[in-house]
Amino acid sequence: MSATREPAVIADHGNIIAMPVSPADAAELDEMRALAAYRERRARGESAAVSREEAFRRILGDDPA
């Protein structure tokens, strides 16, 4: 599986219920989702920017000192 990069699946009675992914693939999917969300906001005319305070809150969970 890992040598060919074909996905492994976990099935229950023939229905796929899970597909494990590598940490690198998960990070890439996260980046792709973030980029898609950014593009959707821009298409709606929304600002994609956040204030410095909001960035700190999102990253650290609080305001900078």
Side-chain angles (χ1 to χ4, degrees):
M1 286 184 305
S2 63
T4 62
R5 297 202 35 101
E6 290 186 29
V9 296
I10 299 170
D12 183 24
H13 301 290
N15 296 315
I16 296 173
I17 58 171
M19 185 181 326
V21 297
S22 71
D25 287 347
E28 185 177 347
L29 288 170
D30 259 355
E31 290 174 11
M32 291 169 55
R33 279 194 289 264
L35 180 58
Y38 166 81
R39 288 180 174 161
E40 287 175 14
R41 286 191 308 272
R42 295 293 296 190
R44 290 192 304 264
E46 297 175 16
S47 172
V50 296
S51 68
R52 179 176 182 271
E53 290 76 17
E54 177 64 11
F56 271 96
R57 188 191 64 72
R58 289 182 186 185
I59 295 169
L60 303 174
D62 56 17
D63 289 329

